[in-house]
Amino acid sequence: MASSESEDPDDELELELDEDEPAPQPSEEALPKRLYDINDADAESKAATLEQLCIKDEDAWWNQVPLTNLDLSSNALTKLSPKIENLQSLTVLILHDNALASLPPEIGKLEKLMRLNVSRNKLSDLPRELYSLPELRHLNLSYNQFNELNPDISDLHMLEFLDAGHNNIQSLPGGIGFLVRLTALLLPHNHIKDLPPDLVNMRSLQRVDLMQNDLTCLPEDMGLLRKLQFLYIQHNDILELSDFEGNEALTELHASNNYIEKIPIRMCENLPHLKVLDLRDNKISELPDELCLLRNLNRLDVSNNSIDTLPVSLSSLAHLISLQVEGNPIKSIRRDILQCGTSRILKTLQERSLAKSKEEGGSTDGAAGARLCGGESGAAASNTAANYPDSSRDSYQQEQQPQEQPQQQHFPCQCQYQCQSQMQMEDPRSCVYVQPRSYSQYQSVDYEQEQSMDPSGQYMQQQQQEFPTFNGFGGMFPQQQQIFYGQNGSNFNQSSSNFNQCAVCPRWVYKLRHTRTLAVNLEELTDVPDEVFQLAQAEGVHVVDFARNNLRTLPKGLQHMQQLVTELVLAHNLIAQVPQFISQFTRISLLNLSNNLLTDLPKEFGVLNTLRELNIANNRFAFIPNGLYDLQGLEILIASDNHIKELNVSGLKCMPRLSTLDLRNNDIDFIPPILGTLTNITHLELVGNPFRQPRHQILMKGTESIMSYLRDRVPR
């Protein structure tokens, strides 16, 4: 039995050769003979009396635990002994960076094995017995010599992660779709030409990496992968992109270095949560106006294509922080403006949008309509190019003129909402402005029911109870037809801070219910009424986005949604202080407070155990707030472009899941070497700080080089 000073069941035995000793000849004999019998008591322990064992309690048999984690990486092994079957308690076996050409069949007897890493060896096949491992969840076969995957791999029913990148795989076996628990399928740098149809049966897939293959197209039923979040298809021979209908969860699409000629309009409509779109080095000649429907887009890279014009609709993307267009024959914008970067380009496009609105008689606030319809689809979205950037100032001027009250039985339609258009076409006599009804009744009616109501308006006439009004909210939205409308068939007065008896547009309520997202950007808001959050709470909204406004603090109404919100985006505001009630958000996983005026965060911040990503870039922090060190689940911390002067490595050690740390452009003058010992950090950004070591050349080599440099300088 192996003794342990702790009770941690994940005891690990890591065997690496001493660098000072001469390396033995590559073979299994490099391993200690005792290894495969380590779970058995040695002769000394068997001969010891109870009294002798009690002298050193930690050596007593009752404190010994079986070996569960064995790391034999980087030992130049050419063979693994069949005695590996003796280690029945193993859950993790790491064999990467050896010279193994085969694995013993006895490995199939490790019934508790959950994680197997045999990357960077010389394997071309696996023993059949391995595919019967009942608990295997993580399998890494990368950097080997596989020409194909054995069809028996479909027998690994519990498999969740498969990495077979950097091999010579020509095709995937039929039946791979039976891996229904798989969340990550990594097959980069192979020679795959076609994907099997049953690939789309792996409905749990969240990440698919197929870069550097020979693909010409994607499966027609990609939409069945409804949980897909990351798709990497760079460096293939793909001619066109699919519509991705059904892939609403997709957040990153990397399709550079292909032969794509156009961006499908339907794709823009079907990917409301897309944040990264990489299409550089393709054959694209035109960007569609419908790109503005990708309202969550953070990064758009279309460099090295054949684009000569940038659509002004790009200026409506409130979250776009990186627009790469170099290497295109763009003639509509001067070269010096293009060289100034994203902010200057978007500003130019916005100025042209406003100028175009004025020339065509549009409102300077006309872009708001296009922004707020960012989640539209179908017929509503098909008119985006025609409606952007102005939203019909003529109709607005007509609405401001005195009008006779139309008869409810017969009057021409003045409603601009798609949600009522079908009713109007079916019966011109029907009133397209719904009568207010009770809030509880509104909750029980779906958008589909709105379209199937009696065109004569009889259903509406039965609902005469007062619907809650949002007095005072209208003045905050200069051109708000898409959210509110009046009972009398006219929009509210834009110059007034109050409006009377205005009901919520059914289309907007339906969108809240369907997308579970409350997003209002670029509207210069200074506050948001509680009623808005009450409505959002009732519709089960879990994403709240008020980026690019003039908020000075978090709206108090947010407290109504503390049990619902999973993503909260308040970037580009004037927030100087975060209230303590932020600690009550028990489900939040993403918080974006970048580009504000913050200098500290409340100490209660540390109780947000569900928080996975925090962005506090472009604020006024002089140090990383102490409350952050209590965030046990935090994986991504972006704190670039602040005034942070030093690193608290002791605090960072308390964040076991932190994998991405971005500290670019701060005032850090010294990097503690002990930072290199934080092996959980896999992505570290330090460029733009005044320290001298590590040098800039090392920073440019990436995280691995930085961490290695720091570890080598830790005092011993």
Side-chain angles (χ1 to χ4, degrees), residues 576-673:
Q577 185 177 7
V578 176
Q580 295 181 353
F581 69 71
I582 190 66
S583 62
Q584 301 170 7
F585 286 72
T586 57
R587 297 185 58 195
I588 191 168
S589 61
L590 182 149
L591 177 58
N592 189 342
L593 295 170
S594 62
N595 293 275
N596 280 285
L597 307 175
L598 296 170
T599 58
D600 199 1
L601 294 175
K603 60 182 180 180
E604 294 83 2
F605 212 85
V607 304
L608 299 176
N609 296 325
T610 59
L611 192 63
R612 296 290 179 267
E613 180 177 346
L614 174 63
N615 190 339
I616 55 173
N618 283 282
N619 278 280
R620 299 180 179 181
F621 292 99
F623 56 89
I624 296 178
N626 293 328
L628 300 190
Y629 300 127
D630 295 326
L631 296 174
Q632 299 295 306
L634 193 68
E635 299 174 2
I636 300 174
L637 174 58
I638 302 175
S640 60
D641 297 279
N642 279 284
H643 303 288
I644 299 172
K645 297 181 179 180
E646 61 180 359
L647 289 181
N648 182 354
V649 180
S650 299
L652 294 174
K653 282 184 176 180
C654 299
M655 308 168 72
R657 296 189 178 181
L658 186 65
S659 60
T660 298
L661 178 61
D662 188 346
L663 295 170
R664 290 172 297 169
N665 303 323
N666 277 281
D667 299 328
I668 303 171
D669 57 8
F670 175 70
I671 302 297

Side-chain angles (χ1 to χ4, degrees), residues 30 38 201 233 461 566 625:
I38 199 169
N201 293 335
I233 51 175
Q461 296 173 4
T566 59

Side-chain angles (χ1 to χ4, degrees), residues 13-25:
L13 181 61
E14 182 173 351
L15 298 178
E16 293 189 7
L17 300 179
D18 193 333
E19 295 179 358
D20 297 331
E21 297 180 1
Q25 292 299 318

Side-chain angles (χ1 to χ4, degrees), residues 218 229-234 238 240-244 247 250-258 260 262-282 284 286-305 307 311 314 317 319-326 328 342:
L218 295 174
Q229 298 180 23
F230 307 95
L231 178 60
Y232 302 88
I233 51 175
Q234 310 99 302
I238 296 175
E240 61 180 4
L241 293 172
S242 66
D243 292 340
F244 293 101
N247 300 120
L250 194 65
T251 59
E252 294 189 16
L253 173 57
H254 300 264
S256 63
N257 294 92
N258 280 282
I260 300 169
K262 64 178 182 179
I263 301 176
I265 294 177
R266 289 287 297 170
M267 186 193 80
C268 301
E269 300 170 0
N270 294 328
L271 300 178
H273 301 294
L274 194 68
K275 295 182 178 180
V276 176
L277 179 58
D278 182 2
L279 295 171
R280 67 182 185 276
D281 293 284
N282 276 284
I284 300 172
E286 183 181 7
L287 296 180
D289 289 292
E290 285 76 10
L291 278 174
C292 69
L293 299 178
L294 303 174
R295 64 171 191 80
N296 283 309
L297 200 63
N298 291 335
R299 182 162 69 89
L300 175 61
D301 191 344
V302 291
S303 55
N304 300 325
N305 278 276
I307 301 167
L314 289 177
L317 295 173
H319 300 288
L320 189 63
I321 59 176
S322 177
L323 175 61
Q324 303 297 324
V325 296
E326 61 270 12
N328 284 284
T342 303

Side-chain angles (χ1 to χ4, degrees), residues 2 16-17 105 109 225 315 337 363 365 413 437 500 520 538 664:
E16 293 189 7
L17 300 179
K109 296 183 179 181
L225 302 177
S315 64
I337 295 178
S363 169
D365 296 321
C413 174
R437 57 180 183 272
N500 297 321
V520 184
R664 290 172 297 169

